[in-house]
Amino acid sequence: MKEFRSKLAKGWLSCWLYVIIMISGIILGVTVCMWDEWDIQTKLFAFASILLPLHVLEEWCFPGGFHTMFNLMAGSDKLDRYPMNQLGDMWTNLIGVIFDCIVLLAGVTPLFCVMKIVLCLGEIAGHTAGAIFSLKMFKEKGKRTIYNPGLATTLLGFIPIGLALIISFFTYQAPTWWEVIIGVVCKALLAWFAVEKAQKLVEDENSPYPYTWGNGYFEKFLR
């Protein structure tokens, strides 16, 4: 049974990126079709939902190497699998994609917009910390920019979407203070479940789900 679950997990890991990119494309198509019916906050939430799989693609593949930075920041010497491995990070991002789809189906409210703004702030904070860390660590190896995998979609996507959502609170519909508080708390709980809990459950120094395609963007600095 354990061997079957392992094969199932590896099979899913070989194709899940294609699945979430397909979901991103579907949301884009629905957004275009519903453009005249959806309000501005629903459109912005949809844009953020479309962006998440693209953000994952930047972190994993183009150029990839986010896991290398994450594991270096954790002080690990097993950069391909600990503490972040494919399975844990897949769950983190897949939960986010599924949650976004549920919200779009149920209906976007200011409370959900608050949660999305908190996500944007989290991405900004995380990639800013990664930028500072990687620049310091690899400065002597020739690194001259703050770039790290995921930063481009953060700067070009999450920041403007987050700002646009905040502006929409003044121009379209503002959340109540209770919605702000509940939104922040709910997002913190979702982040704890999707990031901390999901990764801890599969965290293993000898994980059978390592990143098998190298260090991506950081390859040239680790030679």
Side-chain angles (χ1 to χ4, degrees):
M1 191 64 176
K2 185 177 180 180
E3 184 178 347
F4 172 75
R5 288 199 301 267
S6 179
K7 286 183 178 179
L8 190 64
K10 289 179 179 179
W12 172 244
L13 287 172
S14 71
C15 67
W16 85 282
L17 283 173
Y18 301 106
V19 173
I20 64 170
I21 290 299
M22 180 182 68
I23 292 172
S24 182
I26 291 171
I27 296 173
L28 176 59
V30 173
T31 302
V32 171
C33 293
M34 298 296 292
W35 190 260
D36 293 333
E37 284 75 28
W38 278 359
D39 60 60
I40 185 62
Q41 291 180 345
T42 302
K43 291 173 184 174
L44 289 170
F45 193 98
F47 286 148
S49 304
I50 293 165
L51 179 65
L52 181 56
L54 301 178
H55 181 67
V56 175
L57 209 59
E58 183 187 1
E59 290 183 336
W60 277 52
C61 303
F62 304 107
F66 176 78
H67 68 278
T68 300
M69 181 180 72
F70 186 97
N71 291 337
L72 280 169
M73 292 175 75
S76 173
D77 60 354
K78 295 187 176 182
L79 304 184
D80 65 338
R81 71 189 70 202
Y82 182 79
M84 178 180 282
N85 57 56
Q86 278 199 67
L87 189 62
D89 198 32
M90 178 277 296
W91 277 120
T92 293
N93 291 294
L94 184 62
I95 289 169
V97 171
I98 292 171
F99 177 79
D100 283 356
C101 290
I102 292 172
V103 171
L104 288 169
L105 287 170
V108 176
T109 66
L111 186 150
F112 292 124
C113 291
V114 170
M115 294 180 69
K116 188 59 70 177
I117 290 169
V118 175
L119 170 69
C120 292
L121 291 173
E123 292 291 352
I124 294 166
H127 285 282
T128 299
I132 296 169
F133 172 86
S134 59
L135 184 59
K136 286 182 177 179
M137 182 164 195
F138 297 116
K139 190 173 183 179
E140 294 184 0
K141 296 287 185 67
K143 192 171 188 341
R144 295 291 180 265
T145 70
I146 62 170
Y147 180 77
N148 58 87
L151 183 65
T153 41
T154 298
L155 294 177
L156 300 176
F158 286 120
I159 289 179
I161 289 172
L163 288 173
L165 283 170
I166 292 171
I167 293 171
S168 77
F169 291 162
F170 297 94
T171 60
Y172 178 72
Q173 184 179 3
T176 65
W177 282 111
W178 278 114
E179 286 178 317
V180 172
I181 294 169
I182 292 170
V184 171
V185 171
C186 286
K187 186 58 189 179
L189 290 173
L190 182 63
W192 171 80
F193 176 73
V195 181
E196 295 293 330
K197 194 66 175 177
Q199 295 216 29
K200 284 290 183 183
L201 284 173
V202 297
E203 191 175 285
D204 182 3
E205 290 190 27
N206 300 305
S207 172
Y209 310 107
Y211 295 87
T212 57
W213 52 86
N215 299 300
Y217 171 74
F218 295 102
E219 195 70 55
K220 56 184 174 289
F221 302 117
L222 290 167
R223 289 171 185 161

